[in-house]
Amino acid sequence: MKLQRKSMLRASALGALVVSGALVLTACGSDDNTKTTDGATKPSAAAAGDIKCDDAKGKLLASGSSAQKNAVELWVKNYMAACPGVEVNYKSSSSGEGIVAFNQGTVGFAGSDSALKPEQVEESKKICTGGQGINLPMVGGPVALGFNVAGVDKLNLDAATVANIFNDKIKKWDDEAIKKLNPGVTLPSTAIQAFHRSDDSGTTENVTKYLKAAAPDAWPHEAAKKWAAPGGQAASGSAGVAAQVKQVDGSIGYFELSFASSQGIKTVDLNTGAAAPVKATGENASKAIAAAKIAGTGSDLALKLDYTTKAEGAYPLVLVTYEVVCDKGNKAETLPTVKSFLNYAASDAGQKVLLENGYAPIPAEINAKVREAISKLG
């Protein structure tokens, strides 16, 4: 099947404007008391009161992870309404592209679904004068396995079955392995259409980390940003994969829960070995993220996630999106805006926005360290 090109409609929280693939939201005029120009509701006075603009000014460019696209749209909308004269432009592309842009010095921060690798940290030292790139966990959430199978409203899968579907070993929806996990469900003989990301993606890396950890015998490939399994079909970005699953009968794909929620796509419950299969929800993802350990040192807060948890109600297929910034050596003209915007994102109000929109807040203990690291950015 021919994939749609980049002109496809992209999932968008609250209808934020997308211009030339980049998020560009402008501050609202004082004569509009309830709505922004795109029809979305303005933040409440209480929400705006939680945002400290400080010395923020001008334009801040950022790019990277499409996984956090919907969250960043909401943050930017609230932030810019509270800070007139400031423009935050987040280009939703991929984690790989975001890190490249960061290490080229063209953005104030990058969004990435995986922590910087040692060679990327070393490269960042050329841009971060006297410092280096660090990882600040800012957005958590479940990676949903969205499916579209006519007549099937509920679907349970385990890691091995997911691996065999995406590894082109299970080809029909009425395969015995799927039927065994879904007693009483009438499954059609429809061919499985598995969609994965075409671009280098932190979401892909997290999915493959989960499959490698939870089903090593069924998933022989290394965890990586680039999709390695045979078969299946590719689409660009989380929005592209979600759009294909929405349209194609017999399809399954992976993307952040907010994309499934915004388009009414049904999601798989994961059989983890707990008493009952676990739904992909922000609350269930938080239970898994809470068990994460800080693997970074100093101001670097890279996390090590446990993809094999069997804790009751813990959804193990999760990701954490990092905002990648210089600990020292940020550009003087954008540093105040970077700190102001990230302070809002890490605030109680900013994290509450996540839970309300299908993401998972960063656990309080870790988030306290994030706020401290932001305060020390120079």
Side-chain angles (χ1 to χ4, degrees), residues 339-354:
K339 294 179 72 169
S340 173
F341 179 73
L342 294 184
N343 269 323
Y344 164 58
S347 70
D348 290 340
Q351 291 292 297
K352 183 180 179 183
V353 164
L354 299 181

Side-chain angles (χ1 to χ4, degrees), residues 77-369:
K77 185 181 293 293
N78 289 351
Y79 180 80
M80 290 178 56
C83 300
V86 182
E87 181 182 312
V88 180
N89 181 324
Y90 182 79
K91 181 182 179 182
S92 171
S93 51
S94 68
S95 298
E97 290 182 38
I99 291 173
V100 168
F102 176 75
N103 278 339
Q104 290 176 341
T106 60
V107 295
F109 70 87
S112 177
D113 307 338
S114 56
L116 292 168
K117 291 178 169 51
E119 61 270 22
Q120 293 170 330
V121 173
E122 192 62 31
E123 187 178 356
S124 73
K125 294 178 181 178
K126 300 174 184 176
I127 298 301
C128 306
T129 307
Q132 65 180 45
I134 59 172
N135 306 282
L136 300 180
M138 202 71 74
V139 180
V143 180
L145 295 167
F147 70 94
N148 180 358
V149 183
V152 179
D153 294 322
K154 183 176 173 56
L155 185 67
N156 299 327
L157 297 175
D158 59 16
T161 307
V162 173
N164 284 325
I165 287 172
F166 281 101
N167 208 27
D168 207 30
K169 299 292 187 184
I170 294 178
K171 299 178 182 292
K172 300 281 188 179
W173 280 110
D174 62 352
D175 187 277
E176 287 301 319
I178 302 177
K179 289 169 68 174
K180 184 178 179 181
L181 292 166
N182 295 275
V185 177
T186 302
L187 294 162
S189 60
T190 307
I192 294 174
Q193 305 283 342
F195 286 90
H196 58 265
R197 291 279 290 271
S198 61
D199 47 334
D200 285 4
S201 159
T203 308
T204 295
E205 185 170 15
N206 279 277
V207 169
T208 54
K209 281 181 177 178
Y210 163 72
L211 294 175
K212 187 70 174 176
D217 293 338
W219 190 258
H221 316 288
E222 291 303 315
K225 289 186 174 72
K226 187 174 182 63
W227 187 257
Q233 301 179 65
S236 178
S238 292
V241 175
Q244 292 299 317
V245 172
K246 175 74 172 177
Q247 296 176 21
V248 178
D249 183 33
S251 61
I252 186 171
Y254 58 87
F255 34 80
E256 296 64 45
L257 181 61
S258 63
F259 290 89
S261 301
S262 64
Q263 298 192 52
I265 298 172
K266 296 183 286 289
T267 61
V268 170
D269 294 352
L270 286 178
N271 186 329
T272 65
V278 185
K279 294 184 178 299
T281 68
E283 292 88 347
N284 290 345
S286 286
K287 293 176 183 177
I289 295 171
K293 306 296 184 185
I294 295 177
T297 58
S299 294
D300 185 90
L301 299 174
L303 301 178
K304 181 176 178 58
L305 299 168
D306 180 7
Y307 296 101
T308 62
T309 179
K310 294 178 174 59
E312 297 300 325
Y315 184 84
L317 181 45
V318 297
L319 61 75
V320 170
T321 295
Y322 301 96
E323 309 314 331
V324 176
V325 294
C326 295
D327 57 355
K328 302 294 180 186
N330 290 279
K331 294 179 180 178
E333 61 270 26
T334 56
L335 177 59
T337 308
V338 168
K339 294 179 72 169
S340 173
F341 179 73
L342 294 184
N343 269 323
Y344 164 58
S347 70
D348 290 340
Q351 291 292 297
K352 183 180 179 183
V353 164
L354 299 181
L355 192 57
E356 293 171 347
N357 290 277
Y359 291 95
I362 300 300
E365 182 178 349
I366 298 172
N367 196 41
K369 297 180 185 296

Side-chain angles (χ1 to χ4, degrees), residues 42-56:
K42 283 184 181 179
S44 66
D50 291 330
I51 299 173
K52 295 179 173 59
C53 304
D54 296 326
D55 297 322

